[in-house]
Amino acid sequence: MYHVYCDESRPEAIGNQNSIDKYAVIGGIWVSKNDVNKAKKEIKKLRDQYNVYGEIKWNNVSPSKMEFYKELVKLFFELGSLRFRCIVIDVIKVDLERYHNSDHELGFYKFYYQLLYHWLDGQEQYSIFVDYKKNKEHTRLTDLKSILNKSSLSEVINLQAVESKQTELIQLTDVLMGAVGYKYNNYETSAAKKSIVELVEEKLGHAIKPTAKIQRKFNVFEIKL
């Protein structure tokens, strides 16, 4: 049994021809159910060490909290049970009218499917937790779960929305995904955030860029539209 903790960055930009951001990102952390509590305990230790008790998120990376976020990134790379995958979307190239019935929300969840489907392994079981967002169609998550189960040998036994404030592994996803989005969108707005991007790249041994599907620790899927 695996748990997957998902979040998104700049989803409102998908299909928006006037977006100031070129790329949107949807990401998730995969972890064995048996290792979830260990990961949470290690994150709590870092919180206590650095006196950081608010929500962990990319937008909160600052000079005063930079060392905490660096140690958080190091923790992710040290915990072999944690794996990260994200899909990077060139928002200008998304044709909502032609491929998504002019429905931004539908397009968004199709990209969610692409993120998840390719990493559902064999006949494993999965519980997937996504950051809560208000949908105009209330069946979006049940539809996504159904389609994943129909198209895969794996079994998604649970797919639900949760509040990121209460789920530290979604918060960790936000940080890793934020680093990817920051790099792809060529931001230079924060020395602290830039240092986190550089640390991720140091741990990877290369720049943040598209990776092969078989890259299991830190996988970047830049979808070709």
Side-chain angles (χ1 to χ4, degrees), residues 46-193:
L46 286 181
R47 282 185 177 277
D48 292 341
Q49 180 180 349
Y50 288 93
N51 295 311
V52 175
Y53 297 107
E55 185 174 5
I56 300 169
K57 57 191 303 183
W58 180 252
N59 285 343
N60 289 342
V61 174
S62 64
S64 64
K65 297 178 180 178
M66 185 171 63
E67 291 307 314
F68 166 77
Y69 280 97
K70 282 186 174 181
E71 291 303 316
L72 187 67
V73 169
K74 291 177 185 177
L75 177 64
F76 164 76
F77 282 99
E78 290 166 2
L79 292 177
S81 58
L82 297 184
R83 298 187 290 125
F84 171 77
R85 184 174 205 250
C86 67
I87 181 171
V88 178
I89 306 151
D90 187 333
V91 299
I92 304 300
K93 292 183 179 179
V94 177
D95 190 336
L96 293 176
E97 181 178 359
R98 184 174 182 181
Y99 296 108
H100 308 288
N101 300 331
S102 298
D103 186 337
H104 175 274
E105 188 175 284
L106 175 62
F108 170 74
Y109 281 104
K110 284 184 179 181
F111 289 120
Y112 238 122
Y113 168 85
Q114 291 292 333
L115 167 74
L116 296 165
Y117 168 71
H118 297 285
W119 260 28
L120 297 182
D121 294 330
Q123 298 182 15
E124 293 286 354
Q125 291 182 319
Y126 293 86
S127 284
I128 301 172
F129 305 92
V130 302
D131 189 19
Y132 174 81
K133 67 188 296 291
K134 188 174 182 179
N135 295 318
K136 64 180 181 180
E137 296 289 342
H138 71 278
T139 63
R140 291 301 190 197
L141 295 184
T142 54
D143 289 345
L144 178 57
K145 176 185 174 185
S146 175
I147 293 168
L148 286 168
N149 280 324
K150 288 178 180 178
S151 60
S152 171
L153 295 176
S154 304
E155 181 184 7
V156 178
I157 62 173
N158 179 47
L159 198 164
Q160 70 180 88
V162 295
E163 292 287 351
S164 62
K165 292 180 180 180
Q166 301 171 1
T167 313
E168 288 184 322
L169 288 172
I170 287 183
Q171 295 174 41
L172 177 55
T173 298
D174 183 274
V175 173
L176 298 177
M177 191 180 54
V180 174
Y182 197 85
K183 176 74 173 189
Y184 263 85
N185 284 299
N186 294 315
Y187 277 117
E188 296 283 347
T189 58
S190 164
K193 289 180 177 177

